[in-house]
Amino acid sequence: MAQGEDGATQKSQRTRQRILDAAAQVLSRKGYAGMRLTDVAEVAGLQAPAIYYYYASRDDLVEEVMWAGAHRVREHVEAVVGDMSDATALERILAAVDAHLRYELQISDYTTASIRNAGQVPEHLRVRPAAEEAAYSRIWRDLFHTAQDAGELRADLDINIFRLLLLGSMNWAVEWWNPRTRSLDELVRSTQDMVRFGAGA
């Protein structure tokens, strides 16, 4: 490939990423119903028609954001707990709680958008993100099973119910958490306490 063509490809990739970043930001704040391509274009610093060069439709752009949000939080939490080989099983769950909340509320517009709009987007846009969410749910299932097998969680704990309640409550935080009234550190500690004292042996 000629050097000029390579440079053009890189520029195209950067522009595509800029559009995707802008869409994640707009979708996380305005939701599926309120997201307009003109808003995305304004954040990305482009003319709205230019978006169609990179994404065939508004829904294609939304689906990519939703998938990326689910994929990135899974990779982030996997990496955090994967680096804790010397930790107890319960410590890994508590670290996963910390990683999930900080990623969705502070680090990634993508994950905020994915969580906030999961129930708003049409069903056909949920297929690919839902597969990522299922893989993510299995990570939590394995963490809980390992902790229960190690005697670190109550033997009578219904892991499936508690896991779903935990993930649901953490995801709901995108709707009500306000950093002006409650710090993220406080939220993380309270959620970890819910695990420690609600499920711990």
Side-chain angles (χ1 to χ4, degrees):
M1 180 182 290
Q3 185 173 356
E5 292 176 346
D6 188 51
T9 299
Q10 290 177 359
K11 182 180 179 181
S12 176
Q13 290 171 344
R14 287 195 300 270
T15 302
R16 182 182 176 88
Q17 187 61 55
R18 198 161 82 241
I19 293 169
L20 199 60
D21 290 345
Q25 182 179 325
V26 173
L27 190 61
S28 71
R29 294 174 184 174
K30 296 192 173 185
Y32 176 74
M35 176 182 155
R36 300 180 305 168
L37 288 184
T38 51
D39 296 329
V40 175
E42 182 178 352
V43 173
L46 300 167
Q47 296 295 317
I51 293 175
Y52 290 106
Y53 178 79
Y54 300 92
Y55 295 93
S57 69
R58 172 180 176 269
D59 277 357
D60 282 353
L61 183 53
V62 168
E63 183 196 40
E64 187 67 21
V65 170
M66 298 284 289
W67 177 84
H71 177 73
R72 291 180 184 192
V73 71
R74 177 179 67 78
E75 284 196 325
H76 178 69
V77 172
E78 264 186 326
V80 168
V81 299
D83 288 338
M84 300 179 64
S85 56
D86 295 332
T88 67
L90 181 57
E91 286 171 344
R92 296 177 80 209
I93 293 175
L94 298 179
V97 166
D98 182 282
H100 179 100
L101 285 170
R102 293 186 191 282
Y103 200 80
E104 76 171 3
L105 296 174
Q106 191 175 59
I107 298 173
S108 176
D109 283 332
Y110 285 84
T111 299
T112 305
S114 180
I115 291 169
R116 179 167 282 167
N117 291 279
Q120 298 182 29
V121 301
E123 190 61 33
H124 69 278
L125 300 184
R126 291 281 304 128
V127 176
R128 204 159 63 106
E132 272 298 313
E133 291 161 12
Y136 186 48
S137 184
R138 288 192 293 272
I139 292 171
W140 285 89
R141 180 199 63 194
D142 293 345
L143 287 171
F144 271 91
H145 275 298
T146 300
Q148 193 174 54
D149 291 344
E152 296 175 39
L153 299 182
R154 295 195 336 258
D156 64 338
L157 181 72
D158 188 317
I159 287 176
N160 286 330
I161 291 177
F162 191 87
R163 171 176 56 87
L164 292 172
L165 286 172
L166 176 64
L167 287 171
S169 65
M170 290 196 298
N171 288 344
W172 184 245
V174 301
E175 300 294 345
W176 62 263
W177 178 68
N178 185 337
R180 292 187 295 274
T181 59
R182 185 172 286 102
S183 75
L184 185 52
D185 287 342
E186 288 176 305
L187 176 60
V188 168
R189 281 196 301 271
S190 294
T191 310
Q192 290 174 328
D193 283 347
M194 184 168 69
V195 175
R196 190 181 286 112
F197 301 118

